[in-house]
Coordinates of all heavy atoms in Angstrom, one line a residue:
M1047 N -7.6 10.4 -15.3 CA -6.2 10.7 -15.4 C -5.5 9.8 -16.4 O -5.7 8.6 -16.4 CB -5.6 10.5 -14.0 CG -4.1 10.7 -14.0 SD -3.3 10.3 -12.4 CE -4.2 11.3 -11.2
K1048 N -4.8 10.4 -17.3 CA -4.1 9.6 -18.4 C -2.8 9.0 -17.8 O -2.1 9.5 -17.0 CB -3.7 10.5 -19.5 CG -4.9 11.0 -20.3 CD -4.4 11.8 -21.5 CE -5.6 12.2 -22.4 NZ -5.1 12.9 -23.6
P1049 N -2.5 7.8 -18.3 CA -1.2 7.2 -17.9 C 0.0 8.0 -18.3 O -0.1 8.7 -19.3 CB -1.2 5.8 -18.7 CG -2.6 5.6 -19.1 CD -3.2 6.9 -19.2
V1050 N 1.0 8.0 -17.5 CA 2.2 8.7 -17.9 C 2.9 8.1 -19.0 O 3.0 6.8 -19.1 CB 3.2 8.8 -16.6 CG1 4.5 9.5 -16.9 CG2 2.5 9.4 -15.4
A1051 N 3.4 8.9 -20.0 CA 4.1 8.3 -21.1 C 5.3 7.4 -20.7 O 6.0 7.9 -19.8 CB 4.6 9.4 -22.0
G1052 N 5.4 6.2 -21.2 CA 6.5 5.4 -20.9 C 6.2 4.5 -19.6 O 7.0 3.7 -19.2
S1053 N 5.0 4.7 -19.0 CA 4.7 4.0 -17.7 C 4.3 2.6 -18.1 O 3.8 2.3 -19.2 CB 3.7 4.7 -16.9 OG 2.5 4.8 -17.6
T1054 N 4.5 1.6 -17.2 CA 4.2 0.2 -17.4 C 3.2 -0.2 -16.4 O 3.4 0.1 -15.2 CB 5.5 -0.6 -17.3 OG1 6.4 -0.1 -18.3 CG2 5.2 -2.1 -17.5
F1055 N 2.2 -1.0 -16.8 CA 1.2 -1.6 -15.9 C 1.8 -2.8 -15.3 O 2.3 -3.7 -16.0 CB -0.1 -1.9 -16.7 CG -1.1 -2.6 -15.8 CD1 -1.8 -1.8 -14.9 CD2 -1.4 -3.9 -16.0 CE1 -2.8 -2.5 -14.1 CE2 -2.3 -4.5 -15.2 CZ -3.0 -3.8 -14.2
H1056 N 1.8 -2.9 -14.0 CA 2.3 -4.0 -13.2 C 1.1 -4.7 -12.5 O 0.6 -4.1 -11.6 CB 3.3 -3.6 -12.2 CG 4.6 -3.0 -12.8 ND1 5.7 -3.8 -13.1 CD2 4.9 -1.7 -13.1 CE1 6.6 -3.0 -13.6 NE2 6.1 -1.7 -13.6
P1057 N 0.6 -5.8 -13.1 CA -0.5 -6.5 -12.4 C 0.0 -7.0 -11.1 O 1.1 -7.6 -10.9 CB -0.9 -7.6 -13.4 CG 0.3 -7.8 -14.2 CD 1.1 -6.5 -14.2
L1058 N -0.9 -6.9 -10.0 CA -0.5 -7.3 -8.7 C -1.4 -8.5 -8.2 O -0.9 -9.4 -7.6 CB -0.6 -6.2 -7.7 CG 0.3 -5.0 -8.0 CD1 0.0 -3.9 -7.0 CD2 1.8 -5.4 -8.0
E1059 N -2.7 -8.4 -8.4 CA -3.6 -9.4 -7.8 C -4.9 -9.4 -8.6 O -5.3 -8.5 -9.2 CB -3.9 -9.0 -6.4 CG -4.7 -9.9 -5.6 CD -4.1 -11.3 -5.3 OE1 -4.2 -12.2 -6.1 OE2 -3.4 -11.4 -4.3
R1060 N -5.5 -10.6 -8.5 CA -6.9 -10.7 -9.1 C -7.8 -9.9 -8.2 O -7.8 -10.0 -7.0 CB -7.4 -12.2 -9.1 CG -6.6 -13.0 -10.1 CD -7.1 -14.5 -10.0 NE -8.5 -14.6 -10.1 CZ -9.3 -14.6 -11.2 NH1 -8.7 -14.6 -12.4 NH2 -10.6 -14.7 -11.2
A1061 N -8.6 -9.0 -8.9 CA -9.5 -8.1 -8.1 C -10.5 -8.9 -7.3 O -10.9 -8.5 -6.2 CB -10.2 -7.2 -9.1
D1062 N -10.9 -10.1 -7.7 CA -11.8 -10.9 -7.0 C -11.2 -11.4 -5.7 O -12.0 -11.8 -4.8 CB -12.2 -12.2 -7.8 CG -13.1 -11.9 -9.0 OD1 -13.5 -10.7 -9.1 OD2 -13.3 -12.8 -9.9
D1063 N -9.9 -11.4 -5.5 CA -9.3 -11.9 -4.3 C -9.2 -10.8 -3.2 O -8.9 -11.1 -2.0 CB -7.9 -12.4 -4.6 CG -7.8 -13.6 -5.4 OD1 -8.9 -14.4 -5.4 OD2 -6.8 -13.9 -6.0
L1064 N -9.5 -9.6 -3.6 CA -9.5 -8.5 -2.6 C -10.8 -8.5 -1.7 O -11.8 -8.9 -2.1 CB -9.5 -7.1 -3.2 CG -8.2 -6.8 -4.1 CD1 -8.3 -5.4 -4.7 CD2 -7.0 -7.0 -3.3
H1065 N -10.6 -8.2 -0.4 CA -11.7 -8.1 0.6 C -11.2 -7.1 1.6 O -10.0 -6.8 1.8 CB -12.0 -9.5 1.2 CG -10.7 -10.1 1.7 ND1 -10.2 -9.8 3.0 CD2 -9.9 -11.0 1.2 CE1 -9.1 -10.5 3.2 NE2 -8.9 -11.2 2.1
D1066 N -12.1 -6.6 2.4 CA -11.7 -5.7 3.5 C -10.8 -6.4 4.5 O -11.0 -7.6 4.8 CB -12.9 -5.2 4.3 CG -13.6 -4.1 3.5 OD1 -13.2 -3.7 2.4 OD2 -14.6 -3.5 4.0
G1067 N -9.7 -5.8 4.8 CA -8.6 -6.4 5.6 C -7.5 -7.0 4.8 O -6.5 -7.5 5.4
Y1068 N -7.7 -7.1 3.5 CA -6.7 -7.7 2.6 C -5.4 -6.9 2.7 O -5.4 -5.6 2.7 CB -7.1 -7.7 1.2 CG -6.1 -8.2 0.2 CD1 -6.2 -9.5 -0.2 CD2 -5.2 -7.4 -0.4 CE1 -5.2 -10.0 -1.1 CE2 -4.2 -7.9 -1.3 CZ -4.3 -9.2 -1.6 OH -3.4 -9.7 -2.5
L1069 N -4.2 -7.5 2.8 CA -2.9 -6.9 2.8 C -1.9 -7.9 2.3 O -1.8 -9.0 2.8 CB -2.5 -6.5 4.2 CG -1.1 -5.9 4.4 CD1 -1.0 -4.6 3.7 CD2 -0.8 -5.8 5.9
K1070 N -1.2 -7.4 1.2 CA -0.1 -8.3 0.7 C 1.0 -7.4 0.1 O 0.7 -6.4 -0.5 CB -0.7 -9.2 -0.4 CG 0.2 -10.2 -1.0 CD -0.5 -11.2 -1.9 CE 0.4 -12.2 -2.4 NZ -0.3 -13.1 -3.4
A1071 N 2.2 -7.8 0.3 CA 3.4 -7.1 -0.2 C 3.7 -7.5 -1.6 O 3.6 -8.7 -1.9 CB 4.5 -7.2 0.7
F1072 N 4.2 -6.6 -2.4 CA 4.6 -6.9 -3.8 C 5.9 -6.1 -4.1 O 6.1 -5.0 -3.6 CB 3.5 -6.5 -4.8 CG 2.3 -7.3 -4.7 CD1 1.2 -6.9 -3.9 CD2 2.1 -8.4 -5.5 CE1 0.1 -7.6 -3.8 CE2 0.9 -9.2 -5.4 CZ -0.1 -8.8 -4.6
A1073 N 6.6 -6.6 -5.1 CA 7.7 -5.8 -5.7 C 7.3 -5.6 -7.1 O 6.9 -6.5 -7.8 CB 9.0 -6.6 -5.6
A1074 N 7.4 -4.4 -7.6 CA 7.0 -4.0 -8.9 C 8.0 -2.9 -9.4 O 8.1 -1.9 -8.7 CB 5.6 -3.5 -9.0
G1075 N 8.6 -3.2 -10.6 CA 9.6 -2.2 -11.0 C 10.7 -2.2 -10.0 O 11.2 -3.2 -9.5
D1076 N 11.1 -1.0 -9.5 CA 12.1 -0.9 -8.4 C 11.4 -0.5 -7.1 O 12.1 0.0 -6.2 CB 13.1 0.2 -8.8 CG 13.9 -0.2 -10.0 OD1 14.2 -1.4 -10.2 OD2 14.4 0.8 -10.7
C1077 N 10.1 -0.8 -7.0 CA 9.3 -0.4 -5.8 C 8.9 -1.6 -5.0 O 8.5 -2.6 -5.5 CB 8.1 0.4 -6.2 SG 8.4 1.9 -7.1
D1078 N 8.9 -1.4 -3.7 CA 8.3 -2.3 -2.7 C 6.9 -1.7 -2.4 O 6.9 -0.5 -2.0 CB 9.1 -2.4 -1.4 CG 10.4 -3.1 -1.6 OD1 10.4 -4.2 -2.2 OD2 11.5 -2.6 -1.2
L1079 N 5.9 -2.4 -2.6 CA 4.5 -1.9 -2.4 C 3.7 -2.8 -1.5 O 4.1 -4.0 -1.4 CB 3.8 -1.9 -3.8 CG 4.5 -1.1 -4.9 CD1 3.8 -1.4 -6.2 CD2 4.6 0.4 -4.6
V1080 N 2.7 -2.3 -1.0 CA 1.6 -3.1 -0.3 C 0.3 -2.8 -0.9 O 0.0 -1.6 -1.2 CB 1.6 -3.0 1.2 CG1 2.8 -3.6 1.9 CG2 1.4 -1.5 1.7
L1081 N -0.5 -3.8 -1.2 CA -1.8 -3.6 -1.7 C -2.7 -4.0 -0.6 O -2.6 -5.0 0.1 CB -2.0 -4.6 -2.9 CG -3.5 -4.7 -3.4 CD1 -4.0 -3.4 -4.0 CD2 -3.5 -5.8 -4.5
T1082 N -3.7 -3.1 -0.3 CA -4.7 -3.4 0.8 C -6.0 -3.0 0.3 O -6.2 -2.3 -0.7 CB -4.2 -2.6 2.0 OG1 -5.1 -2.9 3.1 CG2 -4.2 -1.1 1.8
Q1083 N -7.0 -3.4 1.0 CA -8.4 -3.0 0.8 C -9.1 -2.8 2.1 O -9.0 -3.6 3.0 CB -9.2 -3.9 -0.1 CG -10.6 -3.4 -0.3 CD -11.3 -4.2 -1.4 OE1 -10.9 -4.3 -2.5 NE2 -12.5 -4.8 -1.0
Q1084 N -9.8 -1.7 2.3 CA -10.6 -1.4 3.5 C -11.7 -0.5 3.0 O -11.6 0.4 2.2 CB -9.7 -0.7 4.5 CG -10.1 -0.8 5.9 CD -10.2 -2.3 6.4 OE1 -10.3 -3.3 5.6 NE2 -10.3 -2.4 7.7
G1085 N -12.9 -0.8 3.6 CA -14.1 0.0 3.2 C -14.5 -0.2 1.7 O -15.1 0.7 1.1
G1086 N -14.1 -1.4 1.2 CA -14.4 -1.6 -0.2 C -13.5 -0.9 -1.2 O -13.7 -1.0 -2.4
V1087 N -12.5 -0.2 -0.7 CA -11.6 0.6 -1.6 C -10.2 0.1 -1.5 O -9.6 0.1 -0.5 CB -11.6 2.1 -1.1 CG1 -10.7 2.9 -2.0 CG2 -13.1 2.7 -1.1
P1088 N -9.7 -0.4 -2.7 CA -8.3 -0.8 -2.7 C -7.3 0.4 -2.7 O -7.6 1.5 -3.1 CB -8.2 -1.6 -4.0 CG -9.3 -1.0 -4.9 CD -10.3 -0.5 -3.9
S1089 N -6.1 0.1 -2.1 CA -5.1 1.1 -2.1 C -3.7 0.4 -2.3 O -3.5 -0.7 -1.8 CB -5.0 1.8 -0.7 OG -6.2 2.5 -0.4
I1090 N -2.9 1.1 -3.0 CA -1.5 0.7 -3.2 C -0.6 1.7 -2.5 O -0.6 2.9 -2.9 CB -1.1 0.5 -4.7 CG1 -2.1 -0.6 -5.3 CG2 0.3 0.0 -4.8 CD1 -2.0 -0.7 -6.8
L1091 N 0.2 1.2 -1.6 CA 1.0 2.1 -0.8 C 2.5 1.7 -0.9 O 2.8 0.6 -1.1 CB 0.6 2.1 0.7 CG -0.9 2.4 1.0 CD1 -1.2 1.9 2.4 CD2 -1.1 3.9 0.9
E1092 N 3.4 2.7 -0.6 CA 4.8 2.4 -0.4 C 4.9 1.2 0.6 O 4.3 1.2 1.6 CB 5.4 3.7 0.1 CG 6.8 3.6 0.6 CD 7.3 5.0 1.1 OE1 6.5 5.9 1.1 OE2 8.5 5.0 1.4
G1093 N 5.8 0.3 0.3 CA 5.9 -0.9 1.1 C 7.0 -0.9 2.2 O 7.3 -1.9 2.8
I1094 N 7.6 0.3 2.4 CA 8.7 0.5 3.4 C 8.3 1.6 4.3 O 8.0 2.7 3.9 CB 10.1 0.8 2.7 CG1 10.5 -0.3 1.7 CG2 11.2 1.0 3.7 CD1 10.8 -1.6 2.2
C1095 N 8.4 1.3 5.6 CA 8.0 2.3 6.6 C 9.0 3.5 6.5 O 10.2 3.2 6.6 CB 8.0 1.7 8.0 SG 7.5 2.9 9.3
P1096 N 8.5 4.7 6.4 CA 9.5 5.9 6.3 C 10.1 6.2 7.6 O 11.1 6.9 7.6 CB 8.6 7.0 5.8 CG 7.2 6.6 6.2 CD 7.1 5.1 6.2
H1097 N 9.6 5.7 8.7 CA 10.2 6.0 10.0 C 11.6 5.3 10.1 O 12.6 6.0 10.4 CB 9.3 5.5 11.1 CG 10.0 5.4 12.5 ND1 10.2 4.2 13.1 CD2 10.6 6.4 13.2 CE1 10.9 4.4 14.2 NE2 11.1 5.7 14.3
A1098 N 11.7 4.0 9.9 CA 13.0 3.3 10.1 C 13.4 2.4 9.0 O 14.3 1.6 9.1 CB 12.9 2.5 11.4
G1099 N 12.7 2.5 7.8 CA 13.0 1.7 6.7 C 12.7 0.2 6.8 O 13.2 -0.6 6.1
H1100 N 11.7 -0.1 7.6 CA 11.3 -1.5 7.8 C 10.3 -1.9 6.8 O 9.3 -1.2 6.5 CB 10.7 -1.7 9.2 CG 10.4 -3.1 9.6 ND1 11.3 -4.1 9.8 CD2 9.2 -3.7 9.8 CE1 10.7 -5.2 10.1 NE2 9.4 -5.0 10.1
P1101 N 10.4 -3.1 6.2 CA 9.4 -3.5 5.2 C 8.0 -3.7 5.8 O 7.9 -4.2 7.0 CB 9.9 -4.9 4.7 CG 11.4 -4.9 5.0 CD 11.5 -4.0 6.3
L1102 N 7.0 -3.3 5.1 CA 5.6 -3.4 5.6 C 4.9 -4.7 5.3 O 3.7 -4.9 5.5 CB 4.8 -2.2 5.2 CG 5.3 -0.9 5.7 CD1 4.5 0.3 5.0 CD2 5.1 -0.8 7.2
A1103 N 5.7 -5.7 4.8 CA 5.2 -7.0 4.5 C 4.5 -7.7 5.7 O 3.5 -8.4 5.6 CB 6.2 -7.9 3.9
G1104 N 5.0 -7.4 6.9 CA 4.5 -8.0 8.1 C 3.5 -7.1 8.9 O 3.1 -7.4 10.0
A1105 N 3.1 -6.0 8.2 CA 2.2 -5.0 8.9 C 0.8 -5.7 9.0 O 0.5 -6.7 8.5 CB 2.1 -3.8 8.0
R1106 N 0.0 -5.0 9.8 CA -1.4 -5.5 10.1 C -2.4 -4.3 9.8 O -2.0 -3.2 10.0 CB -1.6 -5.9 11.5 CG -0.8 -7.2 11.8 CD -1.1 -7.7 13.2 NE -0.6 -6.6 14.2 CZ -1.2 -6.4 15.4 NH1 -2.2 -7.1 15.8 NH2 -0.7 -5.5 16.2
I1107 N -3.5 -4.7 9.3 CA -4.6 -3.7 9.1 C -5.4 -3.6 10.4 O -5.8 -4.6 11.0 CB -5.6 -4.2 8.0 CG1 -4.8 -4.3 6.7 CG2 -6.8 -3.2 7.9 CD1 -4.4 -3.0 6.1
I1108 N -5.5 -2.4 10.9 CA -6.3 -2.1 12.1 C -7.3 -1.0 11.8 O -6.8 0.1 11.6 CB -5.4 -1.7 13.3 CG1 -4.4 -2.9 13.6 CG2 -6.2 -1.4 14.5 CD1 -3.4 -2.5 14.6
G1109 N -8.5 -1.3 11.6 CA -9.5 -0.3 11.1 C -9.1 0.2 9.8 O -8.9 -0.6 8.9
A1110 N -8.9 1.5 9.7 CA -8.5 2.1 8.4 C -7.0 2.4 8.4 O -6.5 3.2 7.7 CB -9.3 3.4 8.1
G1111 N -6.3 1.7 9.3 CA -4.9 1.9 9.5 C -4.0 0.7 9.1 O -4.4 -0.4 9.2
L1112 N -2.8 1.0 8.7 CA -1.8 0.0 8.4 C -0.7 0.2 9.5 O -0.1 1.2 9.6 CB -1.2 0.2 7.0 CG 0.0 -0.6 6.6 CD1 -0.5 -2.0 6.3 CD2 0.6 -0.1 5.3
R1113 N -0.6 -0.9 10.4 CA 0.3 -0.8 11.5 C 1.6 -1.5 11.2 O 1.7 -2.7 11.0 CB -0.3 -1.4 12.7 CG 0.5 -1.2 14.0 CD -0.2 -1.8 15.2 NE 0.5 -1.6 16.4 CZ 1.5 -2.4 16.9 NH1 1.9 -3.4 16.2 NH2 2.1 -2.1 18.0
C1114 N 2.7 -0.7 11.2 CA 4.1 -1.3 11.0 C 4.4 -2.2 12.2 O 4.2 -1.8 13.4 CB 5.1 -0.2 10.9 SG 6.8 -0.8 10.7
D1115 N 4.9 -3.4 11.9 CA 5.2 -4.4 13.0 C 6.5 -4.1 13.7 O 6.8 -4.8 14.7 CB 5.1 -5.8 12.5 CG 6.2 -6.1 11.4 OD1 6.6 -5.2 10.7 OD2 6.6 -7.3 11.3
M1116 N 7.3 -3.1 13.3 CA 8.6 -2.8 14.0 C 8.4 -1.9 15.2 O 8.7 -2.2 16.3 CB 9.6 -2.3 13.0 CG 10.9 -2.0 13.7 SD 12.2 -1.5 12.5 CE 13.6 -2.2 13.2
H1117 N 7.8 -0.7 14.9 CA 7.7 0.3 16.0 C 6.2 0.7 16.3 O 6.0 1.6 17.1 CB 8.5 1.5 15.7 CG 10.0 1.3 15.7 ND1 10.8 1.3 14.6 CD2 10.8 0.9 16.8 CE1 12.0 1.1 14.9 NE2 12.1 0.8 16.2
G1118 N 5.3 0.1 15.6 CA 3.9 0.4 15.8 C 3.3 1.6 15.2 O 2.2 2.0 15.5
Y1119 N 4.1 2.2 14.2 CA 3.5 3.4 13.5 C 2.3 3.0 12.7 O 2.3 1.8 12.2 CB 4.6 4.0 12.6 CG 5.6 4.9 13.2 CD1 6.4 4.4 14.3 CD2 5.7 6.2 12.8 CE1 7.3 5.3 14.9 CE2 6.7 7.0 13.5 CZ 7.4 6.6 14.5 OH 8.3 7.4 15.1
V1120 N 1.3 3.8 12.6 CA 0.1 3.5 11.9 C -0.1 4.6 10.8 O 0.1 5.8 11.1 CB -1.1 3.5 12.9 CG1 -2.4 3.2 12.1 CG2 -0.9 2.5 14.0
F1121 N -0.5 4.1 9.6 CA -0.7 4.9 8.5 C -2.1 4.7 7.9 O -2.5 3.6 7.8 CB 0.4 4.6 7.4 CG 1.8 4.8 7.9 CD1 2.5 3.8 8.5 CD2 2.4 6.1 7.7 CE1 3.8 4.0 8.9 CE2 3.7 6.3 8.2 CZ 4.4 5.2 8.8
D1122 N -2.7 5.8 7.5 CA -4.0 5.7 6.9 C -3.9 4.9 5.6 O -3.1 5.3 4.7 CB -4.6 7.1 6.7 CG -6.0 7.1 6.2 OD1 -6.2 6.7 5.0 OD2 -6.9 7.4 6.9
V1123 N -4.7 3.9 5.4 CA -4.6 3.1 4.2 C -5.1 3.8 2.9 O -4.8 3.4 1.8 CB -5.3 1.7 4.3 CG1 -4.7 0.8 5.4 CG2 -6.8 1.9 4.5
H1124 N -5.8 4.9 3.1 CA -6.4 5.6 1.9 C -5.5 6.7 1.4 O -5.4 7.0 0.3 CB -7.8 6.0 2.1 CG -8.7 4.9 2.5 ND1 -9.0 3.9 1.6 CD2 -9.4 4.6 3.6 CE1 -9.8 3.0 2.1 NE2 -10.1 3.4 3.4
N1125 N -4.9 7.5 2.4 CA -4.1 8.6 2.0 C -2.6 8.6 2.5 O -1.9 9.5 2.2 CB -4.8 9.9 2.5 CG -4.8 10.0 4.0 OD1 -4.0 9.4 4.7 ND2 -5.8 10.8 4.5
G1126 N -2.3 7.5 3.2 CA -0.9 7.3 3.6 C -0.4 8.1 4.8 O 0.7 7.9 5.3
A1127 N -1.3 9.0 5.4 CA -0.9 9.8 6.5 C -0.5 9.0 7.7 O -1.2 8.0 8.0 CB -2.0 10.8 6.8
C1128 N 0.5 9.5 8.4 CA 0.9 8.8 9.7 C -0.1 9.3 10.7 O -0.2 10.5 11.0 CB 2.3 9.2 10.1 SG 2.9 8.5 11.6
T1129 N -0.9 8.4 11.3 CA -1.9 8.7 12.3 C -1.5 8.4 13.7 O -2.2 8.8 14.6 CB -3.2 8.0 11.9 OG1 -3.0 6.6 11.9 CG2 -3.7 8.5 10.5
Y1130 N -0.5 7.6 13.9 CA 0.0 7.2 15.2 C 1.5 7.0 15.1 O 1.9 6.3 14.2 CB -0.7 6.0 15.7 CG -0.2 5.6 17.1 CD1 -0.7 6.2 18.2 CD2 0.7 4.5 17.2 CE1 -0.2 5.8 19.5 CE2 1.2 4.1 18.4 CZ 0.7 4.8 19.6 OH 1.2 4.4 20.8
F1131 N 2.3 7.5 16.1 CA 3.7 7.2 16.1 C 4.2 7.0 17.5 O 3.5 7.4 18.5 CB 4.5 8.4 15.4 CG 4.2 9.7 16.0 CD1 4.8 10.2 17.1 CD2 3.2 10.5 15.4 CE1 4.5 11.5 17.6 CE2 2.9 11.8 15.9 CZ 3.6 12.3 17.0
T1132 N 5.3 6.3 17.7 CA 5.8 6.0 19.0 C 7.1 6.7 19.3 O 7.5 6.9 20.4 CB 6.0 4.5 19.1 OG1 6.9 4.1 18.0 CG2 4.7 3.7 19.0
E1133 N 7.9 7.1 18.2 CA 9.2 7.7 18.4 C 9.3 9.1 17.7 O 10.4 9.5 17.4 CB 10.3 6.8 17.9 CG 10.3 5.4 18.6 CD 11.4 4.5 18.1 OE1 12.0 4.8 17.0 OE2 11.7 3.5 18.8
G1134 N 8.2 9.7 17.5 CA 8.2 11.0 16.8 C 7.6 10.9 15.4 O 7.6 9.8 14.8
P1135 N 7.0 12.0 14.9 CA 6.3 11.9 13.7 C 7.2 11.6 12.5 O 8.4 11.8 12.6 CB 5.7 13.3 13.5 CG 6.5 14.2 14.5 CD 7.0 13.3 15.5
C1136 N 6.6 11.1 11.4 CA 7.3 10.9 10.2 C 6.4 11.2 9.0 O 5.2 11.4 9.2 CB 7.9 9.5 10.1 SG 6.6 8.2 9.8
R1137 N 7.0 11.2 7.8 CA 6.2 11.6 6.6 C 5.2 10.5 6.3 O 5.3 9.3 6.8 CB 7.1 11.8 5.4 CG 7.8 10.5 4.9 CD 8.5 10.8 3.6 NE 9.2 9.6 3.2 CZ 8.7 8.5 2.6 NH1 7.4 8.4 2.4 NH2 9.4 7.5 2.2
A1138 N 4.2 10.8 5.5 CA 3.2 9.9 5.0 C 3.8 8.8 4.1 O 4.9 9.1 3.5 CB 2.1 10.6 4.3
L1139 N 3.2 7.7 4.0 CA 3.5 6.7 2.9 C 3.1 7.3 1.6 O 2.1 7.9 1.5 CB 2.8 5.4 3.2 CG 3.1 4.6 4.4 CD1 2.2 3.4 4.5 CD2 4.5 4.1 4.3
R1140 N 3.9 7.0 0.6 CA 3.5 7.3 -0.8 C 2.3 6.4 -1.2 O 2.3 5.3 -0.9 CB 4.6 7.1 -1.8 CG 5.7 8.1 -1.6 CD 6.9 7.9 -2.6 NE 8.0 8.7 -2.3 CZ 9.0 8.4 -1.5 NH1 9.0 7.2 -0.9 NH2 10.0 9.2 -1.3
V1141 N 1.3 7.0 -1.9 CA 0.2 6.3 -2.4 C 0.3 6.3 -3.9 O 0.5 7.3 -4.5 CB -1.2 7.0 -1.9 CG1 -2.4 6.3 -2.5 CG2 -1.2 7.2 -0.4
Y1142 N 0.1 5.1 -4.4 CA 0.1 4.9 -5.9 C -1.3 4.7 -6.4 O -2.1 4.0 -5.8 CB 1.0 3.7 -6.2 CG 2.5 3.9 -5.8 CD1 2.9 3.6 -4.5 CD2 3.4 4.4 -6.7 CE1 4.2 3.8 -4.2 CE2 4.7 4.5 -6.4 CZ 5.1 4.3 -5.1 OH 6.4 4.5 -4.7
R1143 N -1.5 5.2 -7.6 CA -2.8 5.0 -8.2 C -3.0 3.6 -8.7 O -2.1 3.0 -9.4 CB -2.9 6.0 -9.4 CG -4.3 6.0 -10.0 CD -4.4 7.0 -11.1 NE -3.7 6.4 -12.3 CZ -4.2 6.3 -13.5 NH1 -5.4 6.9 -13.7 NH2 -3.6 5.7 -14.4
H1144 N -4.1 3.0 -8.3 CA -4.3 1.6 -8.8 C -5.2 1.7 -10.1 O -5.8 2.7 -10.4 CB -5.1 0.8 -7.7 CG -6.4 1.2 -7.4 ND1 -6.6 2.2 -6.5 CD2 -7.6 0.9 -7.8 CE1 -7.9 2.4 -6.4 NE2 -8.6 1.6 -7.2
E1145 N -5.1 0.6 -10.8 CA -5.8 0.5 -12.1 C -6.3 -0.9 -12.2 O -5.6 -1.9 -11.9 CB -4.9 0.9 -13.2 CG -5.6 1.0 -14.6 CD -4.8 1.6 -15.6 OE1 -4.2 2.8 -15.4 OE2 -4.6 1.0 -16.7
L1146 N -7.5 -1.1 -12.7 CA -8.1 -2.4 -13.0 C -8.0 -2.6 -14.5 O -8.5 -1.8 -15.3 CB -9.6 -2.4 -12.5 CG -10.3 -3.7 -12.6 CD1 -9.6 -4.8 -11.7 CD2 -11.7 -3.6 -12.2
R1147 N -7.4 -3.7 -14.9 CA -7.3 -4.2 -16.3 C -7.8 -5.6 -16.3 O -7.1 -6.5 -15.8 CB -5.9 -4.0 -16.8 CG -5.5 -2.6 -17.0 CD -4.3 -2.5 -17.8 NE -3.8 -1.1 -17.9 CZ -2.7 -0.7 -18.6 NH1 -2.0 -1.6 -19.2 NH2 -2.4 0.5 -18.6
G1148 N -9.0 -5.8 -16.9 CA -9.5 -7.1 -17.0 C -9.8 -7.6 -15.5 O -10.5 -6.9 -14.8
E1149 N -9.3 -8.7 -15.2 CA -9.5 -9.3 -13.8 C -8.5 -8.9 -12.8 O -8.5 -9.2 -11.7 CB -9.6 -10.8 -13.9 CG -10.7 -11.3 -14.8 CD -10.7 -12.8 -14.9 OE1 -9.7 -13.5 -14.5 OE2 -11.6 -13.4 -15.4
M1150 N -7.4 -8.1 -13.3 CA -6.3 -7.8 -12.5 C -6.3 -6.3 -12.0 O -6.6 -5.4 -12.8 CB -5.0 -8.1 -13.2 CG -4.8 -9.5 -13.7 SD -4.7 -10.7 -12.3 CE -3.2 -10.2 -11.5
I1151 N -5.9 -6.2 -10.7 CA -5.6 -4.8 -10.2 C -4.1 -4.7 -10.2 O -3.4 -5.6 -9.9 CB -6.3 -4.6 -8.8 CG1 -6.2 -3.1 -8.4 CG2 -5.7 -5.5 -7.8 CD1 -7.1 -2.7 -7.3
G1152 N -3.7 -3.5 -10.6 CA -2.3 -3.3 -10.6 C -1.9 -1.8 -10.5 O -2.8 -1.0 -10.2
V1153 N -0.7 -1.5 -10.8 CA -0.1 -0.1 -10.6 C 0.6 0.3 -11.9 O 1.3 -0.6 -12.5 CB 0.7 -0.1 -9.3 CG1 2.0 -1.0 -9.5 CG2 1.2 1.3 -9.0
L1154 N 0.6 1.5 -12.2 CA 1.4 2.1 -13.3 C 2.7 2.7 -12.7 O 2.6 3.5 -11.8 CB 0.7 3.2 -14.1 CG -0.4 2.7 -15.0 CD1 -1.2 3.9 -15.5 CD2 0.2 1.9 -16.2
L1155 N 3.8 2.2 -13.2 CA 5.1 2.7 -12.7 C 6.0 3.1 -13.9 O 5.9 2.5 -15.0 CB 5.8 1.7 -11.9 CG 5.2 1.3 -10.6 CD1 5.9 0.1 -9.9 CD2 5.1 2.5 -9.6

């Protein structure tokens, strides 16, 4: 996939620092993001829970899920789908394409 014209690479973390269970929040461009890795696969997801607008900076990784610390909603770390909810279903988290440049993993925005 070719980068979108005018998009900017935002480095987030050294790729060597990633490991299964890794989770860290970042701000890049105008986006709140979370970078995670599970099953050896990194993912960059929207960093705000779509259920109630709570930041996912305090979320936890549980298996292949990202659990929001406000209401316990769980989202698949690979495709963003809401896999568990407590107050009714909500949309999936947006998933952003990650890119490796040199030693850094980042996102194009």
